[in-house]
Amino acid sequence: MSAVESKDINAEAGADMNAKPQSALICGSMAFDTIMVFPDKFQHHILPDKVHMLNVSFFVPELRREFGGCAGNIAYNLHLLGENALPMATVGKDFASYAQWMLKTGVKQDYLKVLEDDFTGQAYITSDMDDNQITAFHPGAMGRSELNKVPSDANISIGIVSPDGKAGMIEHAKQFVEAGIPFVFDPGQGMPMFDSDELKTFIEQATWVTLNDYEAAMLQEKTGLSPHEIAEQVEALIITKGAEGSLVYTKTERIDIPPAKATALVDPTGCGDAYRGGLLYGLMNGLDWEVTGRIAGLMGAIKIAHAGTQNHVVTLDELKMQYAEQFGSSF
């Protein structure tokens, strides 16, 4: 069943005043992000002919600790647009401050499981002046994400499997299929955990696949499948290309989505998750790919103008105004 069909079913159910709104279940990591900015370019300090004996140190005078993780970030962005975003993740004994932040922002915690014998995931991210990033990630409680189960009776109309514990990603994809819930496969930085056959299985199970251009090249190398071959197995393959916009491959065409203009280039961390929040919004509302891709790109552009992954604020009405200004049309 497609997201559009799910939307139609829920619209009919809307005649019942007691009907629950449609929801998106967002499977992935919840993490504390320690974000550092290197005021230079990595390429000036990493010698290509010496990468086999790499020993470098980056001076990072700017450091921030933020709330992050793919599930947290995607849910935050989708919630900004007024949709019912339900992050599903395993978190640790140190999660209290993040939980308070979620209470403040209004993002629900119904599907978060606290593991008192572990820490919440921790990401240590260093960005350079070209927006390149080097990340070290400690999974903590995320490594047991398979303890969470996709519910089949919670009026969930769409899901996403984003970077998480390996077993959890495999199990949650299976559970979405068993529950008849269409979902996005978003392997992200978790892709190296999987071999060719496992990635091919995810593609067979998924309704949509989304990647950035580096991840798309890695997926093609690991599976031998071209973008067109992947698109033949799903409703769409979405590839983000940063400042160059994004591409949507369907079974019949490739749609080029122009980039949205950012008011400032402050911090790229979390832009991909903001894009995915916009992507889910378009899918949940049955919008066409040209509009959905532009909304997603605009969410990324709004995020990049702010430091951190959950410090930008935009309402749906404000997004519609910015959309009209940038693209000369409405949605």
Side-chain angles (χ1 to χ4, degrees):
M1 180 172 60
S2 71
V4 175
E5 291 168 336
S6 297
K7 176 72 175 178
D8 292 341
I9 291 171
N10 288 323
E12 293 172 5
D16 179 358
M17 295 301 291
N18 295 318
K20 296 179 182 178
Q22 62 175 349
S23 303
L25 188 69
I26 302 165
C27 305
S29 61
M30 304 286 291
F32 293 104
D33 290 341
T34 300
I35 302 171
M36 297 158 279
V37 179
F38 177 51
D40 200 342
K41 299 180 179 182
F42 293 143
Q43 66 177 357
H44 294 162
H45 301 265
I46 298 176
L47 303 176
D49 60 339
K50 299 294 183 182
V51 292
H52 63 288
M53 50 183 294
L54 191 63
N55 187 358
V56 294
S57 176
F58 300 111
F59 178 68
V60 287
E62 180 183 338
L63 181 148
R64 305 185 313 278
R65 186 170 165 84
E66 305 279 3
F67 302 116
C70 293
N73 295 341
I74 296 170
Y76 176 82
N77 283 278
L78 184 58
H79 176 74
L80 288 178
L81 301 183
E83 297 294 345
N84 194 28
L86 303 172
M88 187 170 84
T90 42
V91 299
K93 55 191 174 183
D94 55 345
F95 191 69
S97 61
Y98 202 148
Q100 287 298 315
W101 168 249
M102 293 179 72
L103 284 173
K104 181 179 179 180
T105 61
V107 177
K108 295 181 180 179
Q109 303 177 46
D110 304 45
Y111 297 100
L112 300 185
K113 182 183 291 293
V114 179
L115 305 181
E116 296 292 351
D117 59 345
D118 216 332
F119 290 103
T120 303
Q122 314 276 333
Y124 298 88
I125 304 164
T126 304
S127 300
D128 74 355
M129 294 296 98
D130 278 341
D131 291 339
N132 296 307
Q133 293 184 331
I134 296 174
T135 301
F137 188 76
H138 170 68
M142 188 194 81
R144 290 186 280 167
S145 60
E146 71 276 7
L147 295 176
N148 278 324
K149 308 297 181 185
V150 172
S152 58
D153 57 353
N155 204 44
I156 293 166
S157 61
I158 192 170
I160 183 169
V161 174
S162 57
D164 208 349
K166 178 177 180 178
M169 292 178 72
I170 291 172
E171 289 302 312
H172 297 155
K174 290 179 182 176
Q175 291 161 12
F176 276 128
V177 173
E178 292 168 356
I181 300 171
F183 76 95
V184 180
F185 177 49
D186 170 31
Q189 293 179 334
M191 194 184 302
M193 295 188 296
F194 303 103
D195 62 27
S196 176
D197 289 340
E198 289 168 331
L199 290 169
K200 287 178 179 178
T201 297
F202 277 121
I203 294 168
E204 291 169 1
Q205 294 169 323
T207 315
W208 308 275
V209 175
T210 184
L211 311 151
N212 64 29
D213 50 357
Y214 178 81
E215 294 157 0
M218 183 185 296
L219 183 63
Q220 182 168 348
E221 180 179 339
K222 295 192 75 165
T223 65
L225 298 173
S226 70
H228 292 287
E229 289 171 326
I230 294 171
E232 288 174 356
Q233 300 184 55
V234 294
E235 290 192 12
L237 165 66
I238 303 97
I239 299 177
T240 60
K241 298 173 67 66
E244 298 177 20
S246 55
L247 302 172
V248 178
Y249 292 84
T250 70
K251 291 178 175 65
T252 59
E253 61 181 332
R254 190 189 87 173
I255 303 167
D256 290 74
I257 306 296
K261 298 177 182 177
T263 57
L265 302 178
V266 175
D267 180 9
T269 310
C271 286
D273 294 331
Y275 184 101
R276 283 147 181 78
L279 173 66
L280 288 172
Y281 175 85
L283 292 171
M284 293 175 78
N285 288 277
L287 303 177
D288 64 35
W289 284 115
E290 286 82 358
V291 173
T292 295
R294 285 169 170 79
I295 291 172
L298 186 53
M299 288 298 291
I302 291 169
K303 201 260 53 101
I304 204 172
H306 299 77
T309 60
Q310 297 180 29
N311 295 322
H312 56 293
V313 178
V314 64
T315 66
L316 181 59
D317 287 341
E318 290 168 345
L319 185 79
K320 288 182 176 181
M321 290 178 60
Q322 293 190 41
Y323 185 101
E325 291 172 1
Q326 292 219 23
F327 302 117
S329 58
S330 59
F331 69 90

